Every structure is written in C-alpha cells, then in structure tokens.
Amino acid sequence: MSEECTHDCSTCGVDCSSRTEPQSLLKPHNPAARVGKVYGVVSGKGGVGKSMVTSQLAVLARRRGLSVGILDADITGPSIPKAFGVHSRAMGDERGMLPVETAGGIQMISVNLLLDDETDPVLWRGPVIGGVVTQFWTDVVWDVDCLFVDMPPGTGDVALSVFQSLPLDGIIIVASPQELVSMVVEKAVKMAEMMNIPIVGVVENMSYVICPDCGKEIPLFGQGKTEAAAKAHGLKLLARMPIDPQLARLADEGRIEDLEGRWLEPVADAILGPAEEE
C-alpha cells in the first residue's frame, strides 16, 4: 500500500496490492442472523425437480432435529411456498426481514411471500433479480443450522450472484435420466469448479415409476445416464428418485412435509452426517 494512500480506490491510480489482489465478493449475513451450513441445489436446465429435492432435503433435515431454512432463489418461478402450503406475507422488524415458518417449523423466504398476489409475474431484469437474492441472504434474520438454496435453472445472473455472494458449503446437482443429462451435469460442474464451490454429488430425478401391480421399477425414460455423467467428473450419484404420484399430490396440496419417502437419505447423510438409529 502506498504511503500516500487515501483509502479511496475510486480516485487512486496506484497499482498497490489492495487493488491487484483478488477481492472476495462474499456478503455477510444479517448481523442478527445465525446460519450454519449453506447448500445450493442446482441444475443446468429447468424442469428436473430442484425445488422438490430442496423441499425433501429440508424436511429430512428437520426430522433429524435441525433448525432448517430454505432460501428460494428461483425468483421468476418460485414454487417452494406452495409445496409447503405457505401463503402468508413475510414481515420485518428493526432487525430486518423475518422468514415465514411452515407447519413443521422450516423457515423460508421467497419472492412469493412479498408480492401482493402470489400469482403476479416477476418482470424484472437479471441484475435486479440477483440483487433480490442477495438481500434474501443479507437482510433476512435466519436462525438455522442448515440453509438450503433452491437455485433457478441454468448458469445466469442469479446463479452467479449466489455463488459469489453466499458462503456455500457445497452444491447438489439435480438431473433427469434423458440422454442430454451429461451436458446438463457438465455445465453445472464447470460453473461450480470455476467458482471453487464443492460438489456434494448428483441426484437423478424421475428415474423410474413403480408398477402398482407387481412393484417393479420401470424406467420410463430408459436407463438413466446420470451415473455415467457423474463418474465422468469424479462425482457420486447419491440418490435416484422415482416419479411418484403421491409426491406430486402432496406438493399440490401444500403438504410436502407429510411425505414419507426416504430416497434422499443418502444425500442428507452426505451433508449432515448419518442419522442416529431409532
């Protein structure tokens, strides 16, 4: 640092270490908040079930006795509140914005909880959306052991904002069994590697449907390519989720916390540690 430094880089032309060394873009959470581990649920494309995986992981973590939160970063397509049957407005106090709690005690924040009408479209440009997501981290009074971030599809502005601003402990990549899964996984992997974010593993959604007569697993989209794509990048396929009509029904009814499915237990074990024996 120059001896004549004014500590105002905007008016300084000296190439000192303070200007040339990479600066962290991580944002501190609300001073009144308490946040433990932070995990993002991502994919290279939409429609693969990120929100469903996020919801189930939050429910599993809550059942293990942890205080849990969901940051719904899918601003233009928020579905988390509906899956949990939450329709109340988020409020605030002198400390900041307060998350809304589900019936089971899961904290959440979503743009749907801020709109006058939750069916109103969000017609904002990328930088504005990215700023809102960052505020969900910096302004909300979280009190959680584990925070799950439901990411929007792709690798655009919002994903970049989350990766740069939030101290992610890792990400879970969600994919579907179709042939193009290798490309989808590769996009998510490369972005995580570029941003130095650890990858916990991969979840394949819509892997099969269970025959109601014989109980056989039927791969509607053919044998999944996800495991091969994961291995190509040195990743583990942690779980395979079926197409389950009950899961869709409970989400539509806002009762996702009533789901008894344990397909994502290996993912919960990977990020939370093995569950204690009952």
Side-chain angles (χ1 to χ4, degrees):
M1 183 177 292
S2 170
E3 294 180 359
E4 300 179 359
C5 181
T6 63
H7 303 286
D8 183 2
C9 294
S10 64
T11 61
C12 179
V14 178
D15 290 330
C16 65
S17 60
S18 297
R19 292 174 59 88
T20 56
E21 293 178 0
Q23 301 296 306
S24 173
L25 298 176
L26 291 177
K27 305 290 186 182
H29 59 59
N30 186 305
R34 180 188 68 87
V35 182
K37 299 290 186 179
V38 183
Y39 292 98
V41 181
V42 309
S43 178
K45 68 181 294 294
V48 299
K50 291 183 301 299
S51 296
M52 190 61 69
V53 170
T54 302
S55 300
Q56 290 188 62
L57 284 175
V59 171
L60 286 175
R62 184 66 183 144
R63 288 176 181 169
R64 294 188 182 191
L66 299 178
S67 54
V68 184
I70 300 177
L71 191 162
D72 188 355
D74 194 351
I75 302 298
T76 59
S79 57
I80 292 292
K82 178 176 174 55
F84 284 89
V86 173
H87 303 286
S88 56
R89 295 285 297 275
M91 307 299 287
D93 60 20
E94 69 280 357
R95 300 173 300 164
M97 193 184 310
L98 303 177
V100 176
E101 282 199 7
T102 70
I106 295 173
Q107 300 175 33
M108 69 168 60
I109 197 70
S110 170
V111 74
N112 262 17
L113 306 178
L114 304 176
L115 300 174
D116 291 331
D117 186 333
E118 63 185 28
T119 63
D120 288 343
V122 177
L123 304 177
W124 301 338
R125 295 190 182 275
V128 176
I129 295 175
V132 171
V133 171
T134 302
Q135 284 186 285
F136 283 171
W137 169 251
T138 60
D139 294 4
V140 175
V141 187
W142 298 104
D143 183 14
V144 294
D145 300 314
C146 186
L147 180 68
F148 293 101
V149 183
D150 183 25
M151 300 278 283
T155 55
D157 287 338
V158 178
L160 186 60
S161 293
V162 172
F163 279 18
Q164 289 181 328
S165 303
L166 275 63
L168 293 173
D169 291 282
I171 63 169
I172 297 99
I173 298 174
V174 183
S176 56
Q178 288 91 333
E179 186 69 40
L180 54 73
V181 69
S182 58
M183 180 186 68
V184 171
V185 171
E186 189 165 2
K187 284 180 179 292
V189 169
K190 286 186 175 180
M191 184 171 191
E193 290 175 345
M194 291 172 65
M195 305 299 295
N196 295 316
I197 305 296
I199 302 173
V200 177
V202 181
V203 172
E204 182 180 83
N205 191 26
M206 300 179 284
S207 295
Y208 56 91
V209 64
I210 298 178
C211 175
D213 295 324
C214 67
K216 180 180 179 181
E217 294 184 4
I218 304 172
L220 291 182
F221 300 106
Q223 292 299 325
K225 311 294 181 182
T226 308
E227 186 166 16
K231 285 183 177 179
H233 295 282
L235 303 174
K236 291 183 179 180
L237 176 62
L238 295 173
R240 296 170 62 242
M241 286 179 54
I243 298 173
D244 189 333
Q246 182 190 26
L247 191 155
R249 177 178 58 81
L250 289 174
D252 288 342
E253 295 175 355
R255 297 171 47 227
I256 196 67
E257 288 172 294
D258 293 342
L259 186 70
E260 296 298 330
R262 303 174 68 91
W263 308 291
L264 294 181
E265 289 283 1
V267 186
D269 290 344
I271 61 178
L272 305 174
E276 296 182 1
E277 294 292 335
E278 297 181 357

